[in-house]
Amino acid sequence: SLEWYERFITHPDASLPDKSDALQNIGCLMHQNGRPDKACIAFNLALQIEPENKIARRNLAVALEQCARFDEADAEYVAILQKDWNDAGAHFSRGMIALLFGDYSRGWAEYEWRFKVETFPPKTFDTFCPCWAGEDLNGKTIVITHEQGFGDCIMGIRYAREIKLRWPSATVWWYGHALLQNLMLQAEGVDDSFDAANERGEMLRGEEALTYDFHCPVLSLPHRFSTTLEAIPGAPYILAPSAETREPINIGIVWAGSPRHG
């Protein structure tokens, strides 16, 4: 494929836009074969020929990230947003870079674009009630919903305690995978846990459908609480049963997430 693209680029009858596309494809080949440095060269050449080649610019940003040239990658995403402010992928990628460097204020805000990225697997929870945007929760019930991997949920459930600290009379429910039910019930601040919902998004316990006031994806909670690097909620927030109520247990250390997670 590389040889064919190189012949195409040097062909006298090839148009400049087509040559730009061919260089963009060479960049993809280099990236797929573990050479993001060479991919950057190809994508840059493609953009010199055709500055409006949006695909090449996006791929250049990704390759720059792979080369740990994060400032340059961020500049490419800014260039994309200058042309199209509603480009969800560029916002999301800028958010990931900001989070990587501890700029949580901007990072979590940009991370909110994730559900608008077409290639982002998780989607928002389909429910009858509004997504929580920071309203007073005293006397209200909020459902924290599962998204992405188990690790994301385990790390994010610490905010159930933060909700109770700020709004003591709030009721906090967890909705997510069946395998997380018992663990989430051990999290401080979680009052109940569900793994089934009907078509309206009501929580199901047997035949009973339970309503609530708000829902919130678990990884939107850091943004709702304006979390900064200096103010990440800490302390144990999921506690094992006390020694008097449990048998001796084995402990496993999870060193990697799912190999199927993109």
Side-chain angles (χ1 to χ4, degrees), residues 57-58 61 70-85 87 89-91 93-94 97 106 110:
R57 190 169 299 282
R58 185 183 304 279
F70 296 107
D71 287 342
E72 294 172 74
D74 191 64
E76 294 300 331
Y77 290 126
V78 169
I80 291 171
L81 291 172
Q82 286 173 342
K83 297 287 186 180
D84 179 9
W85 178 251
D87 189 302
H91 280 290
S93 296
R94 289 200 76 210
I97 292 173
R106 183 168 66 86
E110 295 279 45

Side-chain angles (χ1 to χ4, degrees), residues 32-75:
Q32 291 166 4
N33 283 279
R35 293 303 306 269
D37 52 338
K38 288 193 173 183
C40 289
I41 295 171
F43 293 138
N44 263 314
L45 288 170
L47 288 167
Q48 287 181 33
I49 295 172
E50 188 68 25
E52 299 302 316
N53 190 331
K54 184 177 179 179
I55 296 175
R57 190 169 299 282
R58 185 183 304 279
N59 287 335
L60 172 60
V62 173
L64 287 167
E65 286 187 69
Q66 293 293 314
C67 294
R69 295 161 61 182
F70 296 107
D71 287 342
E72 294 172 74
D74 191 64

Side-chain angles (χ1 to χ4, degrees), residues 90-162:
H91 280 290
F92 175 76
S93 296
R94 289 200 76 210
M96 293 297 286
I97 292 173
L99 290 172
L100 180 65
F101 284 93
D103 182 1
Y104 280 12
S105 178
R106 183 168 66 86
W108 288 121
E110 295 279 45
Y111 196 69
E112 288 295 283
W113 286 81
R114 65 195 181 281
F115 291 119
K116 295 183 180 181
V117 179
E118 292 183 3
T119 55
F120 190 72
K123 302 303 175 187
T124 53
F125 181 49
D126 190 8
T127 176
F128 68 95
C129 78
C131 186
W132 182 58
E135 294 91 341
D136 189 325
L137 290 175
N138 272 323
K140 305 291 185 180
T141 298
I142 183 172
V143 176
I144 299 174
T145 57
H146 185 145
E147 65 163 297
Q148 303 185 57
F150 285 8
D152 298 295
C153 297
I154 292 168
M155 289 189 291
I157 199 61
R158 69 185 70 201
Y159 285 92
R161 181 182 61 192
E162 300 303 306

Side-chain angles (χ1 to χ4, degrees), residues 23-36:
L23 281 161
Q24 198 278 133
N25 287 328
I26 288 176
C28 290
L29 285 174
M30 294 295 100
H31 200 184
Q32 291 166 4
N33 283 279
R35 293 303 306 269

Side-chain angles (χ1 to χ4, degrees), residues 99 102-109 112 132-134 159 162 166-167 219-233:
L99 290 172
D103 182 1
Y104 280 12
S105 178
R106 183 168 66 86
W108 288 121
E112 288 295 283
W132 182 58
Y159 285 92
E162 300 303 306
R166 189 170 297 186
W167 298 284
L219 290 185
S220 287
L221 290 168
H223 177 54
R224 300 293 189 273
F225 278 87
S226 302
T227 303
T228 64
L229 188 62
E230 297 75 27
I232 299 172

